[in-house]
Structures are given as structure tokens and as C-alpha cells.
Amino acid sequence: MSVKVAAALQNKASIWIALLILLVIVIISFGLISKITAIERKRDIQDWQQRLALMADVREDLINNWLAKQHSTLDSLAENLSLQLYLSHIAQAAGRSQTDIESAQRIYLKNLLLNTASRNGFYEETPEPRIKANIPVIRHSGIAILNNKGKVIIATPGMPLLDDITVENAKQTANDHISRIRDIYMNQHTEPVMGFLVAVPALTNTGAVERESFSIVGLRTVSKSLYPLLHKDIFSTDTDISTLVRRERGSVVYLDRLSQRNGQMFMRLPHEPQSLAAAYALVNPGAFGIRKSFSGEDALFLSHPIKNTNWILLQMISRHEALKESDAHQASLITSFSLGLAALVFIIIASWRHGAGLYAVRHATELEKQSRLLTEQKKLLQSVTDNIGDLIILCDNNMHIQFVNRPTAEIFQLESSDLIGKSLSAALGSDIGKSLKEHLFSVRNTGQVLTGVKKFLLNNALHTFHSCFLPVGDDSFLIVLHDITALTEAQDKHDRLMKNLVQTLTHVIDTYDPNCANHSAETTRLATAIAVEMNLPKPDIETLELAASLANIGKLFVPREILTKTTPLSAAERDILQASSKQTVKVLAGLEFDGPVLETIAQKTEHVDGSGGPGGLAGESILMTARILAVANAFVAMHSPRAYRNPIMTDEVLHRIYAEADKLYDKHVVAALMHVAENKLDWV
């Protein structure tokens, strides 16, 4: 009896142990499922972060260009010498009656303001019909000139009334000569407008002491100029939104959206950083995350601060649209894994019960159980791999295909069964098969996982894949290809945009000095040729190209009369000209470059004997890119004409540079210059 009891207890203990093991398996399996889905979700969100960043970069560039254009218009007006002269006369004539000449000057100024405003969007018709009476029409926008006491000297017809904030800003600008922006506000027509303020430089050769200083105020609407930049269709999404926000007291103000209640005020929402995307972005500029949009819908957002303003550019997209495919993919994974796990648990329990009841046929039952288990696992594997977008191929040691998932078969417009047993070249084509076999041979010989980026021509379209080749067991190899075509195309587009911006800036730099046309382009071309001649690595050549293109941006801070002066420069003028390199570094200091671009520009005035500046560096302490830029810049500068001299002949320039080798210039760079100048540059 005791033996039976012991056996029963042992049997019961075995049952509990088996159930405990089964429970542990279920818990671990669900943990793995959760981890896999979490990794997939994180990757999808990171992909959208990159896409939103690209969207925000494009919008930010459009907004910055628009703001710069408005300031540029008023700066050009302020630099008009006739305007400065007439304002000087008006200031001197203050307190006495106007002469006919002074009246004519005022008419000229008014026409100048009107023409500038009409050409550049500062003079817009009001939507209301004209009143047939002698009543002035107050417009939405206009340009006015104010003195440093806030008095309007002259303005375009129908100039809107200036509020106290704008007048105070105008007085400050006239006194300290610092350009300002009057932030977007509602005018008397309940139209959102924005103000731009620049100072009028005082004439230094009038022969009289100026009693007044002046500023120019330009008001213009933003509904048809700035706001369309935020809503311009650039990317193919349904719910992406770009909006400008700022913080005002305890509220978040959406500058490009009117209130739904009265249609006259900006939309305002409470400042709740924990729930509202705009409020969180104002506290954390540059942030990315998932929070509520202004419509109360969950959205992915990324923010960019707009420089020289208190605006935050908010790029959003509906979470539902952004993660729709991710949600479906996760649901598919969870369903597949859960069904597979349930099937596995069912098989284990059924097999165990069946084996306990039919001990005599245990071996046959065990084989059946294993067969069913393998079948279910195969179905599970097939279900998982068929619902993953990556191309998955399993090969044997002879490079014949053992398994492919459905996306692989579909991209070659075949059935999976048509590819099984065939060689890679026979199944996928000679070019693709040959490339894949080369990588598999490398994996077989080294036993190491091999990753990289591959490009294949599929269905007459070039696709870019992140590839992974890894050994599986002793005689099988797995190929996983993840399509990154869209991502690489977006990166290429961003790189082209950056290159075009640099070329545009280079053109602005060279055209500022009429005697130095194409200086930056020629310097870049020569510096690149020297770097290639010296076999510099590609990253260094790219750094050198960018540094040479931007090295002379500091010239924009040098008065044009100094650059075009035909007589010898004074000491003060030479100091201003020499300080342009420091101005270049200062202007570019806030930007991030892949290589030492700023260091190259800063060190181009160093000498190899240590006599240069600004750091007094010598020899190898100076970057090679800076040593090359110094030689290229010196050659182009001497070879180009200047206001005070004709261009120097090539042989004379080479002789002068050679004479300074090992003093001012690196002798190896000078030797490369000699070879390039004699053999490789047709413009020298």
C-alpha cells in the first residue's frame, strides 16, 4: 500500500513539475514575443524620426530664406545713398518750412518706398472695396521711415497704424542699429501681419553733425507669403502638418491657425508639456516624441527652433498613419507567435496525455508527436518570415536554395517552390547570384557574420539593401536583405540640397567683390586638385572642398569700398580685411560639419615656420587640409586681378610661392601645386 501511495505521490509531483515547466515556457515565450515587437516598434519610430527631420529641415530652410529675403529688401533700401542723403537733408531742415527742393525729395522718397514695397510684397490691397470718397484707405502692409523719437517721417500710402511695440522697436533700431523683427500679430483688419525693422546708416561725409537717426519699418501680411511655405506639399503623406508656435504668457499660440470660435485670433491652447506636443517642444526645442496635436489626436512630432525668432517649427504626423503598418505588423507577429505557442502547448499536453495512456505504443506516438511539432514549427516559421518585409534566403553548403520567404519569391515574380533546390545564379540571375555567392564563400571560409550595403537591379529598378550573411549550423547559410532604397534616396536628396546651398552661398561671396569673381570656385578646384595629387583620403578631400567654398564668407562683413579701393589701404582698412577670416569662423561656428571644416578655415593663415596666426601653429601642428588651402588661396589671390593691380602671371606666382616654401607654405604642398599647375589645370 505504501508503495502505491509513494508511486501516486511521485506521479502527482511529476505532473506538477511538468505543469510548472510548461508555465515557465509560456512566460518566457511571451517575454520573447514582447521583446521582438518592442524592437520592431522602436525601429519604426526611429525611421519616422528621420523622415520628420527631413521634412522639418526643408520647412525650416524655406522659412529662414523668407525671413532673410524680407530683411534683405529693407537692407537694400536702407543702403540707398539717395535715401540716406535726403533723410540727412530732412534732419537738417527740421524746425523750418519746407522748400520746393525738400518737397521734391519727399516725393522721391515716397515713390522709392512705394516701388520697393510693391515689388517685394510690402504693399498689398485690402479685401474691402474702395470707398468713393476722399477717405484714405488703410492697407494691410506698407513701409515707413521713423526717426529715433518714434515719429513717422514718410510712409507708403495707406500705411497701417504702428502699435506701441513696433514704434518702440523702431526707436531702438534707429539708436543701436540692430535689425529687429516685430513678431506676428493681428492688425486692425484682423489680418496676421509681421514687421521687419532695419536701421538707416548715417552718411559720414555730409559735413554736418547728424541730429537724428532713422529706421525703416516694413509691415507685411503672412497669410499668403509665409503660411503657404508651411502647407506646401513636399512629401507623400496624408496627415503631416507643419505649424509655427510660440509661448505667450500661460498659453501655446499656433501662429498659422486662426481660432475656430471667431476666426480673428490665433488658436491658443493651455501650456501642458506633459500632454501637448507644442507645449513640450517649447520647453524642449529639438525634441521628438508622441503627444497630442492641437486637434487632440496622438501624433509623432519633431521640433526645430527658428533662429532669430521665438518660434518653434513643429512637424507632426498622425500616429495612426505613421504607425499603421507597424501596428499591423506587430499584431501579425503577436498573432503568429501566440498561435504557434498555443499549438506547441497543445501538442505537448496532448502528447503527454497520449503517451501516459498508451505506454505500449510510446515510440510510435513519440515519432508522430515530433512530426506534428516540426510541421507546426515550420508553419510558424513560414508565417513569421512571410510577413516580414525583408528578403530571407537559406542556402546549403553548395549554394543551393533550401528556403525562401514569400517577399523574396514575389520580388522575382515566382513561387517559393520554383526556387527551392536551384542554385543562386539559376534562381536569381547570374549577376545577383554571383554577388551573393562571393559573400557566402567569404562567410564559409571565415565563419564570421558579414554585413554591408548592396545594390541590385530588380524589375528594372535599382534597389539598395542592407545585407547580412551568416552561417547557420555546419553546412547552411542565411541571407537577409533589408530594403533601404527609400532611406538612401532621402539622404541623397538632403546631400544634394546641402551642396546646392553651399554653391549658392559661394556665388554670393564671390559676387560681393567684383574683382574676385569665381575666387571661391577656383580656390576649391585648385585645392581639390592638389589634394588628389597628394593622395589625401576622400573624407579629407570633402572637408577641403567645403572649407575652400566657405573660407571667404567673412568678406561679406568687409565694406565694399575697401574691396574695390584702387589706392593703398590704410592700417585700419587692412585690419578689417585681415579680420575677415575670423568673421568666417564666427559665422560658421554654430554649424556642425562631418570633418574639421572650421579648423581648416581658421588655420589657413598659419605659417609652417610658426610666424602666422591666429594660433601661432607650425609644421605638422597645422592640418594638412589647412596647409593645402593656404597655398591654393594664395595662388588664386595673386593670379586674379585686383582693384589696385592687374593679375600676376602664372610663372611669377609660382616663383613667389616657391620662394616662401618652408617659411609660409608646406614644401610638399608647393611641389604638388607645381605639378598641378603645369599639367592638370587649363585655366592657370
Side-chain angles (χ1 to χ4, degrees):
M1 186 69 179
S2 60
V3 175
K4 292 183 178 180
V5 171
L9 292 175
Q10 185 177 4
N11 187 39
K12 185 176 292 186
S14 299
I15 294 174
W16 281 109
I17 291 173
L19 290 175
L20 181 60
I21 293 174
L22 186 60
L23 179 62
V24 171
I25 292 174
V26 171
I27 293 174
I28 293 175
S29 299
F30 274 110
L32 291 175
I33 293 172
S34 299
K35 186 174 182 179
I36 292 173
T37 55
I39 292 173
E40 290 285 332
R41 172 55 56 83
K42 182 178 180 181
R43 187 187 68 180
D44 292 334
I45 291 177
Q46 288 175 343
D47 289 344
W48 271 106
Q49 182 177 4
Q50 295 176 357
R51 293 184 64 181
L52 289 177
L54 290 175
M55 296 180 185
D57 287 341
V58 173
R59 306 289 189 196
E60 183 182 0
D61 288 340
L62 292 173
I63 293 171
N64 286 332
N65 290 339
W66 185 85
L67 293 173
K69 180 180 178 182
Q70 313 314 311
H71 272 300
S72 175
T73 297
L74 298 184
D75 285 335
S76 299
L77 181 61
E79 293 294 336
N80 187 293
L81 294 178
S82 297
L83 180 142
Q84 297 174 15
L85 182 62
Y86 292 163
L87 287 179
S88 176
H89 290 172
I90 291 172
Q92 295 174 10
R96 60 181 175 81
S97 59
Q98 289 186 1
T99 65
D100 292 339
I101 294 178
E102 291 166 351
S103 297
Q105 291 173 348
R106 285 184 174 274
I107 294 173
Y108 170 84
L109 285 180
K110 181 169 290 189
N111 289 335
L112 177 62
L113 296 186
L114 182 58
N115 289 335
T116 301
S118 299
R119 289 196 308 269
N120 297 282
F122 284 93
Y123 194 74
E124 304 174 36
E125 292 291 342
T126 57
E128 296 81 11
R130 287 183 174 273
I131 301 174
K132 295 182 179 181
N134 227 349
I135 300 175
V137 177
I138 303 300
R139 300 180 179 274
H140 290 317
S141 55
I143 299 178
I145 301 177
L146 287 74
N147 63 11
N148 56 352
K149 296 179 182 178
K151 179 182 177 182
V152 176
I153 302 302
I154 196 165
T156 55
M159 179 69 186
L161 296 177
L162 302 179
D163 62 358
D164 294 339
I165 296 177
T166 304
V167 173
E168 186 61 30
N169 287 341
K171 292 163 61 177
Q172 294 177 9
T173 298
N175 289 323
D176 59 19
H177 285 240
I178 297 176
S179 298
R180 289 179 169 81
I181 289 177
R182 170 65 168 100
D183 210 341
I184 301 174
Y185 67 99
M186 288 290 184
N187 65 7
Q188 57 265 45
H189 294 289
T190 64
E191 177 76 16
V193 297
M194 185 174 183
F196 300 86
L197 303 95
V198 300
V200 179
L203 288 177
T204 58
N205 57 351
T206 58
V209 178
E210 297 294 334
R211 291 175 294 175
E212 290 186 76
S213 55
F214 302 90
S215 62
I216 299 177
V217 177
L219 296 181
R220 69 168 302 165
T221 61
V222 295
S223 298
K224 297 180 180 179
S225 55
L226 175 61
Y227 291 170
L229 302 180
L230 298 171
H231 310 307
K232 186 177 181 181
D233 289 331
I234 299 177
F235 299 94
S236 57
T237 60
D238 296 327
T239 61
D240 72 283
I241 297 172
S242 300
T243 186
L244 290 175
V245 299
R246 72 183 180 209
R247 186 173 181 177
E248 193 169 296
R249 293 185 290 275
S251 301
V252 175
V253 179
Y254 292 81
L255 298 176
D256 60 323
R257 300 187 180 276
L258 299 182
S259 171
Q260 297 298 322
R261 292 190 297 271
N262 51 32
Q264 298 179 356
M265 300 296 291
F266 302 120
M267 179 186 290
R268 296 173 181 266
L269 292 177
H271 190 270
E272 297 176 357
Q274 297 306 316
S275 60
L276 192 63
Y280 186 84
L282 286 169
V283 178
N284 305 279
F288 168 79
I290 301 177
R291 277 177 168 74
K292 298 290 185 183
S293 67
F294 54 82
S295 62
E297 181 182 9
D298 285 341
L300 274 70
F301 75 93
L302 185 138
S303 61
H304 277 193
I306 303 299
K307 61 183 179 181
N308 301 324
T309 70
N310 62 349
W311 303 343
I312 294 292
L313 172 63
L314 200 62
Q315 187 69 41
M316 296 185 293
I317 188 169
S318 166
R319 181 199 176 283
H320 175 72
E321 180 186 3
L323 301 181
K324 181 179 181 180
E325 293 183 2
S326 177
D327 291 340
H329 184 52
Q330 283 198 322
S332 175
L333 283 177
I334 292 173
T335 301
S336 300
F337 278 115
S338 298
L339 290 175
L341 181 60
L344 182 61
V345 171
F346 174 79
I347 291 171
I348 293 174
I349 295 175
S351 299
W352 177 77
R353 288 180 60 85
H354 185 67
L358 302 173
Y359 181 79
V361 291
R362 183 181 64 180
H363 296 291
T365 305
E366 185 69 22
L367 290 175
E368 182 182 358
K369 181 186 70 173
Q370 293 297 330
S371 177
R372 293 171 61 187
L373 178 60
L374 290 175
T375 301
E376 293 297 331
Q377 289 178 339
K378 182 179 179 181
K379 291 181 179 179
L380 174 62
L381 177 62
Q382 191 73 48
S383 175
V384 172
T385 57
D386 284 350
N387 286 280
I388 293 177
D390 296 344
L391 308 186
I392 299 176
I393 306 172
L394 183 66
C395 298
D396 60 18
N397 201 40
N398 295 319
M399 308 306 166
H400 285 73
I401 297 175
Q402 293 179 311
F403 169 82
V404 295
N405 65 340
R406 185 170 58 194
T408 305
E410 288 177 349
I411 201 168
F412 289 100
Q413 299 178 352
L414 296 170
E415 295 294 332
S416 299
S417 58
D418 296 334
L419 300 175
I420 304 300
K422 294 183 178 179
S423 67
L424 289 172
S425 297
L428 309 181
S430 59
D431 292 338
I432 298 177
K434 180 180 179 181
S435 177
L436 295 178
K437 284 195 293 186
E438 289 176 354
H439 289 79
L440 290 180
F441 285 140
S442 176
V443 172
R444 186 175 65 180
N445 294 334
T446 62
Q448 302 294 321
V449 176
L450 182 64
T451 60
V453 176
K454 301 288 295 179
K455 291 187 177 182
F456 298 122
L457 187 64
L458 301 174
N459 299 328
N460 297 322
L462 188 63
H463 291 256
T464 304
F465 295 93
H466 179 271
S467 58
C468 181
F469 303 84
L470 64 158
V472 179
D474 296 329
D475 57 355
S476 296
F477 305 93
L478 187 64
I479 305 172
V480 181
L481 302 175
H482 177 63
D483 196 336
I484 58 172
T485 305
L487 182 61
T488 55
E489 289 177 351
Q491 184 62 43
D492 291 343
K493 183 176 180 180
H494 178 268
D495 292 342
R496 290 195 300 271
L497 176 61
M498 179 60 69
K499 184 176 181 180
N500 291 336
L501 290 175
V502 171
Q503 290 176 350
T504 301
L505 185 57
T506 301
H507 179 70
V508 172
I509 297 168
D510 288 345
T511 54
Y512 183 71
D513 182 0
N515 296 301
C516 293
N518 298 321
H519 178 91
S520 297
E522 292 177 356
T523 302
T524 302
R525 182 181 174 190
L526 180 57
T528 303
I530 294 173
V532 172
E533 180 68 22
M534 296 180 70
N535 293 319
L536 258 66
K538 183 177 179 181
D540 289 347
I541 294 176
E542 293 174 349
T543 295
L544 182 59
E545 288 178 342
L546 193 54
S549 299
L550 300 175
N552 291 316
I553 194 174
K555 278 189 176 182
L556 297 176
F557 297 89
V558 178
R560 190 185 291 268
E561 56 266 21
I562 294 179
L563 298 175
T564 58
K565 188 173 182 180
T566 58
T567 58
L569 301 178
S570 65
E573 290 170 334
R574 285 196 299 273
D575 290 341
I576 293 174
L577 191 59
Q578 292 173 357
S580 63
S581 294
K582 295 181 180 179
Q583 288 285 1
T584 299
V585 175
K586 184 177 180 181
V587 169
L588 300 176
L591 301 177
E592 293 183 3
F593 300 98
D594 291 337
V597 175
L598 286 180
E599 292 83 351
T600 298
I601 296 173
Q603 295 179 18
K604 78 182 180 78
T605 54
E606 301 284 359
H607 299 157
V608 293
D609 62 358
S611 63
L617 302 178
E620 297 297 327
S621 299
I622 307 172
L623 292 173
M624 176 56 72
T625 51
R627 285 178 265 164
I628 294 175
L629 180 57
V631 171
N633 190 65
F635 180 92
V636 175
M638 287 188 278
H639 194 267
S640 302
R642 291 293 183 268
Y644 53 88
R645 65 162 172 81
N646 292 324
I648 302 174
M649 300 300 294
T650 301
D651 291 341
E652 176 62 19
V653 174
L654 294 175
H655 177 74
R656 291 187 184 185
I657 293 178
Y658 181 79
E660 299 295 341
D662 269 348
K663 297 178 183 178
L664 304 183
Y665 311 116
D666 186 300
K667 63 181 180 181
H668 301 293
V669 179
V670 173
L673 170 67
M674 298 294 181
H675 188 269
V676 169
E678 292 175 0
N679 301 290
K680 296 186 177 181
L681 290 183
D682 54 5
W683 55 270
V684 173

